[in-house]
Amino acid sequence: AVLEEFNTKGFCYLVLSSVVATQVCKAILGNRVLLDMKDAVWGQWPELAIFAVMGIVGGILGVCFVLLLDKGTAFIGSLESIPSFLKPVMGGIVLGLFALYFPVVLGEGYEYIAMAMDLKFALGMFFLILFVKMFTTVLTLGSGGSGGVFAPSLVMGAMFGGGVYWLASAFFPGIVGSPEVYIAVGIATILGSAFKAPMTAIIMVLEISNNFNIVLPVMIAAVCATLISWIFLKGCSIYNFHLIQAGIREVESDFWVPRGRSIIKDKMPL
């Protein structure tokens, strides 16, 4: 569940459903985790500063993802010369061309997260995959194709974390821990920023990593990323940004503004 706001009643329902779902899943699939990071460790205390900076930069990336998705959808929708039924076809063709060189754009991409944990990519490739995944996700959804934003966000976060690990290990080799920690932190930053859900980012990353020793890096990065998202999106998330901009929904949280006031005007500059 993407938990944007915390309240006692909703939390109780969330816990009950999570316990039942987890036990059913374990009974069928066994005690497996999505990304096994049980051996991951982070380095010394100064490394927390790196994770905080990751939260800030990852927050900006999450904001860019939300804005690009909104602007891309609006732009493709404004192309009236192209029939509506052809737009998903053309989007699929372009996506297929990308897939010839970057197979990571297809499917959920969990296997590429595992490859990132093993540092199978070079520094430049990490960031290239990040931006290619972001562009192709915007293209797919903006053109009317079928897909979601959750799994691509995990891939983008993993690639961001892998790239930062290469940089951190080059400039601060004495304080850097395991690359898996940076992958987990990168995922938490994108989730916290784009989805405005730091609690979800923290709990989910700890659960899929099977390692609660990385809780401090994950928490500080997720919170920093969420704060950056608040500064630029003022309480909107990737799920409700377009609805709030269109006046269909109002901002539900009073973090920055009183509850009930919509802060999205007719146009929001990039």
Side-chain angles (χ1 to χ4, degrees):
V2 178
L3 188 64
E4 293 186 0
E5 295 185 337
F6 181 86
N7 62 74
T8 305
K9 184 178 181 181
F11 182 73
C12 291
Y13 292 147
L14 183 63
V15 169
L16 291 175
S17 61
S18 297
V19 169
V20 173
T22 300
Q23 292 308 311
V24 171
C25 183
K26 287 184 177 180
I28 298 174
L29 301 177
N31 192 18
R32 298 188 303 176
V33 294
L34 182 62
L35 303 172
D36 192 355
M37 300 181 182
K38 62 179 180 297
D39 297 325
V41 294
W42 56 286
Q44 304 177 24
W45 284 100
E47 193 178 15
L48 290 176
I50 299 177
F51 297 131
V53 174
M54 282 187 67
I56 296 173
V57 178
I60 295 174
L61 288 174
V63 169
C64 291
F65 182 37
V66 175
L67 294 178
L68 283 174
L69 181 59
D70 178 72
K71 300 300 180 182
T73 302
F75 173 75
I76 296 175
S78 66
L79 300 176
E80 299 179 355
S81 59
I82 303 176
S84 298
F85 68 90
L86 283 181
K87 291 178 181 178
V89 176
M90 298 179 65
I93 292 174
V94 177
L95 179 65
L97 294 176
F98 271 96
L100 293 176
Y101 301 96
F102 298 97
V104 67
V105 303
L106 300 177
E108 296 174 331
Y110 295 142
E111 64 274 20
Y112 293 96
I113 298 179
M115 294 174 64
M117 290 167 53
D118 294 331
L119 297 179
K120 296 293 182 64
F121 306 115
L123 171 62
M125 185 57 67
F126 271 114
F127 291 111
L128 181 60
I129 293 176
L130 163 63
F131 291 112
V132 169
K133 187 67 174 179
M134 183 182 297
F135 173 77
T136 52
T137 302
V138 171
L139 174 68
T140 301
L141 299 179
S143 62
S146 176
V149 293
F150 193 78
S153 297
L154 299 185
V155 175
M156 287 186 285
M159 297 305 155
F160 169 61
V164 173
Y165 174 80
W166 276 115
L167 293 174
S169 60
F171 290 98
F172 309 103
I175 64 173
V176 173
S178 305
E180 295 91 343
V181 179
Y182 286 79
I183 302 299
V185 168
I187 292 174
T189 61
I190 301 298
L191 291 180
S193 175
F195 294 85
K196 199 192 73 176
M199 289 291 293
T200 297
I202 294 169
I203 295 175
M204 194 205 75
V205 168
L206 294 179
E207 182 180 10
I208 66 175
S209 65
N210 194 30
N211 187 345
F212 287 85
N213 294 323
I214 62 175
V215 62
L216 291 183
V218 170
M219 284 197 303
I220 192 171
V223 169
C224 289
T226 304
L227 291 176
I228 293 297
S229 175
W230 272 104
I231 292 174
F232 289 99
L233 300 181
K234 302 297 190 297
C236 301
S237 72
I238 197 168
Y239 287 132
N240 62 21
F241 182 86
H242 180 71
L243 297 176
I244 294 175
Q245 191 178 31
I248 299 174
R249 287 186 58 182
E250 294 183 341
V251 177
E252 297 180 355
S253 177
D254 53 3
F255 189 93
W256 289 108
V257 296
R259 182 179 296 275
R261 285 182 56 191
S262 177
I263 48 76
I264 301 294
K265 304 301 182 182
D266 293 336
K267 293 183 178 179
M268 174 178 284
L270 285 174

mmCIF file of all heavy atoms in Angstrom, residues 15 17 20 57 63 74 82 105 120 123 156 171 189 204 245 252 261 263:
data_model
loop_
_atom_site.group_PDB
_atom_site.id
_atom_site.type_symbol
_atom_site.label_atom_id
_atom_site.label_comp_id
_atom_site.label_asym_id
_atom_site.label_seq_id
_atom_site.Cartn_x
_atom_site.Cartn_y
_atom_site.Cartn_z
ATOM 1 N N VAL A 15 -2.188 -3.178 8.695
ATOM 2 C CA VAL A 15 -1.467 -4.247 9.379
ATOM 3 C C VAL A 15 -2.194 -5.581 9.219
ATOM 4 O O VAL A 15 -1.576 -6.611 8.911
ATOM 5 C CB VAL A 15 -1.301 -3.904 10.879
ATOM 6 C CG1 VAL A 15 -0.801 -5.111 11.645
ATOM 7 C CG2 VAL A 15 -0.336 -2.740 11.051
ATOM 8 N N SER A 17 -4.317 -6.584 6.881
ATOM 9 C CA SER A 17 -4.246 -7.086 5.510
ATOM 10 C C SER A 17 -2.837 -7.549 5.162
ATOM 11 O O SER A 17 -2.656 -8.553 4.467
ATOM 12 C CB SER A 17 -4.700 -6.002 4.531
ATOM 13 O OG SER A 17 -3.857 -4.864 4.605
ATOM 14 N N VAL A 20 -2.104 -11.058 6.828
ATOM 15 C CA VAL A 20 -2.790 -12.145 6.126
ATOM 16 C C VAL A 20 -2.132 -12.406 4.771
ATOM 17 O O VAL A 20 -1.844 -13.563 4.406
ATOM 18 C CB VAL A 20 -4.284 -11.810 5.945
ATOM 19 C CG1 VAL A 20 -4.964 -12.871 5.069
ATOM 20 C CG2 VAL A 20 -4.977 -11.728 7.293
ATOM 21 N N VAL A 57 19.131 14.534 -4.047
ATOM 22 C CA VAL A 57 19.229 14.336 -5.494
ATOM 23 C C VAL A 57 18.138 13.381 -5.989
ATOM 24 O O VAL A 57 17.491 13.614 -7.008
ATOM 25 C CB VAL A 57 20.618 13.806 -5.878
ATOM 26 C CG1 VAL A 57 20.700 13.562 -7.382
ATOM 27 C CG2 VAL A 57 21.702 14.791 -5.444
ATOM 28 N N VAL A 63 10.780 14.105 -8.549
ATOM 29 C CA VAL A 63 9.970 15.239 -8.999
ATOM 30 C C VAL A 63 9.995 15.347 -10.523
ATOM 31 O O VAL A 63 8.964 15.575 -11.171
ATOM 32 C CB VAL A 63 10.466 16.544 -8.354
ATOM 33 C CG1 VAL A 63 9.813 17.759 -9.006
ATOM 34 C CG2 VAL A 63 10.194 16.534 -6.857
ATOM 35 N N ALA A 74 0.332 15.190 -21.483
ATOM 36 C CA ALA A 74 -0.372 16.334 -22.060
ATOM 37 C C ALA A 74 0.094 16.608 -23.488
ATOM 38 O O ALA A 74 -0.715 16.909 -24.368
ATOM 39 C CB ALA A 74 -0.156 17.566 -21.180
ATOM 40 N N ILE A 82 -2.765 13.010 -34.935
ATOM 41 C CA ILE A 82 -2.581 11.565 -34.840
ATOM 42 C C ILE A 82 -3.825 10.952 -34.212
ATOM 43 O O ILE A 82 -4.218 11.351 -33.111
ATOM 44 C CB ILE A 82 -1.343 11.207 -34.000
ATOM 45 C CG1 ILE A 82 -0.094 11.870 -34.579
ATOM 46 C CG2 ILE A 82 -1.159 9.692 -33.928
ATOM 47 C CD1 ILE A 82 1.160 11.644 -33.751
ATOM 48 N N VAL A 105 14.007 -1.794 -20.477
ATOM 49 C CA VAL A 105 12.776 -1.022 -20.582
ATOM 50 C C VAL A 105 11.551 -1.924 -20.622
ATOM 51 O O VAL A 105 10.417 -1.445 -20.468
ATOM 52 C CB VAL A 105 12.788 -0.114 -21.838
ATOM 53 C CG1 VAL A 105 13.994 0.813 -21.809
ATOM 54 C CG2 VAL A 105 12.777 -0.936 -23.124
ATOM 55 N N LYS A 120 27.008 -5.079 -12.068
ATOM 56 C CA LYS A 120 27.235 -5.577 -13.423
ATOM 57 C C LYS A 120 27.306 -4.453 -14.454
ATOM 58 O O LYS A 120 27.608 -4.701 -15.621
ATOM 59 C CB LYS A 120 26.118 -6.556 -13.810
ATOM 60 C CG LYS A 120 26.083 -7.821 -12.972
ATOM 61 C CD LYS A 120 27.297 -8.680 -13.223
ATOM 62 C CE LYS A 120 27.253 -9.987 -12.433
ATOM 63 N NZ LYS A 120 26.145 -10.856 -12.837
ATOM 64 N N LEU A 123 29.661 2.888 -14.375
ATOM 65 C CA LEU A 123 29.095 4.124 -13.837
ATOM 66 C C LEU A 123 28.146 4.783 -14.826
ATOM 67 O O LEU A 123 26.993 5.099 -14.498
ATOM 68 C CB LEU A 123 30.216 5.079 -13.453
ATOM 69 C CG LEU A 123 29.796 6.504 -13.062
ATOM 70 C CD1 LEU A 123 28.912 6.477 -11.830
ATOM 71 C CD2 LEU A 123 31.036 7.372 -12.820
ATOM 72 N N MET A 156 14.523 2.508 -11.496
ATOM 73 C CA MET A 156 15.208 3.801 -11.550
ATOM 74 C C MET A 156 15.962 4.080 -10.250
ATOM 75 O O MET A 156 17.099 4.563 -10.264
ATOM 76 C CB MET A 156 14.193 4.913 -11.830
ATOM 77 C CG MET A 156 13.679 4.928 -13.260
ATOM 78 S SD MET A 156 12.619 6.344 -13.629
ATOM 79 C CE MET A 156 11.128 5.869 -12.792
ATOM 80 N N PHE A 171 35.485 8.501 -4.482
ATOM 81 C CA PHE A 171 35.889 9.710 -3.769
ATOM 82 C C PHE A 171 36.024 9.499 -2.256
ATOM 83 O O PHE A 171 36.787 10.208 -1.599
ATOM 84 C CB PHE A 171 34.881 10.837 -4.033
ATOM 85 C CG PHE A 171 34.923 11.374 -5.431
ATOM 86 C CD1 PHE A 171 34.020 10.944 -6.390
ATOM 87 C CD2 PHE A 171 35.881 12.311 -5.807
ATOM 88 C CE1 PHE A 171 34.060 11.428 -7.690
ATOM 89 C CE2 PHE A 171 35.932 12.820 -7.095
ATOM 90 C CZ PHE A 171 35.015 12.372 -8.045
ATOM 91 N N THR A 189 14.569 6.621 -2.133
ATOM 92 C CA THR A 189 14.475 8.037 -2.506
ATOM 93 C C THR A 189 13.423 8.261 -3.588
ATOM 94 O O THR A 189 12.627 9.212 -3.505
ATOM 95 C CB THR A 189 15.825 8.564 -3.005
ATOM 96 O OG1 THR A 189 16.242 7.838 -4.164
ATOM 97 C CG2 THR A 189 16.888 8.438 -1.941
ATOM 98 N N MET A 204 8.829 -0.860 3.033
ATOM 99 C CA MET A 204 8.904 -1.782 1.908
ATOM 100 C C MET A 204 10.344 -2.154 1.571
ATOM 101 O O MET A 204 10.650 -3.321 1.302
ATOM 102 C CB MET A 204 8.228 -1.176 0.680
ATOM 103 C CG MET A 204 7.973 -2.196 -0.421
ATOM 104 S SD MET A 204 7.869 -1.459 -2.044
ATOM 105 C CE MET A 204 9.583 -1.104 -2.354
ATOM 106 N N GLN A 245 -4.175 19.078 -10.372
ATOM 107 C CA GLN A 245 -3.949 20.141 -11.344
ATOM 108 C C GLN A 245 -5.230 20.458 -12.104
ATOM 109 O O GLN A 245 -5.498 21.626 -12.437
ATOM 110 C CB GLN A 245 -2.848 19.733 -12.319
ATOM 111 C CG GLN A 245 -2.353 20.869 -13.202
ATOM 112 C CD GLN A 245 -1.227 20.424 -14.116
ATOM 113 O OE1 GLN A 245 -1.191 19.267 -14.522
ATOM 114 N NE2 GLN A 245 -0.325 21.327 -14.431
ATOM 115 N N GLU A 252 -4.559 16.747 0.065
ATOM 116 C CA GLU A 252 -5.138 16.111 1.237
ATOM 117 C C GLU A 252 -4.335 16.330 2.503
ATOM 118 O O GLU A 252 -4.795 16.006 3.588
ATOM 119 C CB GLU A 252 -5.272 14.601 0.989
ATOM 120 C CG GLU A 252 -6.218 14.275 -0.152
ATOM 121 C CD GLU A 252 -6.332 12.790 -0.388
ATOM 122 O OE1 GLU A 252 -5.595 12.029 0.291
ATOM 123 O OE2 GLU A 252 -7.139 12.391 -1.223
ATOM 124 N N ARG A 261 -7.123 23.401 0.885
ATOM 125 C CA ARG A 261 -6.711 24.403 -0.097
ATOM 126 C C ARG A 261 -5.924 23.745 -1.207
ATOM 127 O O ARG A 261 -4.977 23.013 -0.978
ATOM 128 C CB ARG A 261 -5.843 25.481 0.562
ATOM 129 C CG ARG A 261 -6.615 26.454 1.414
ATOM 130 C CD ARG A 261 -5.677 27.506 1.971
ATOM 131 N NE ARG A 261 -4.958 28.185 0.903
ATOM 132 C CZ ARG A 261 -3.940 28.995 1.115
ATOM 133 N NH1 ARG A 261 -3.497 29.208 2.333
ATOM 134 N NH2 ARG A 261 -3.336 29.576 0.109
ATOM 135 N N ILE A 263 -3.275 24.010 -4.042
ATOM 136 C CA ILE A 263 -2.175 24.928 -4.340
ATOM 137 C C ILE A 263 -1.708 24.800 -5.781
ATOM 138 O O ILE A 263 -0.813 25.501 -6.205
ATOM 139 C CB ILE A 263 -0.994 24.687 -3.374
ATOM 140 C CG1 ILE A 263 -0.658 23.198 -3.275
ATOM 141 C CG2 ILE A 263 -1.316 25.209 -2.004
ATOM 142 C CD1 ILE A 263 0.072 22.623 -4.404
#
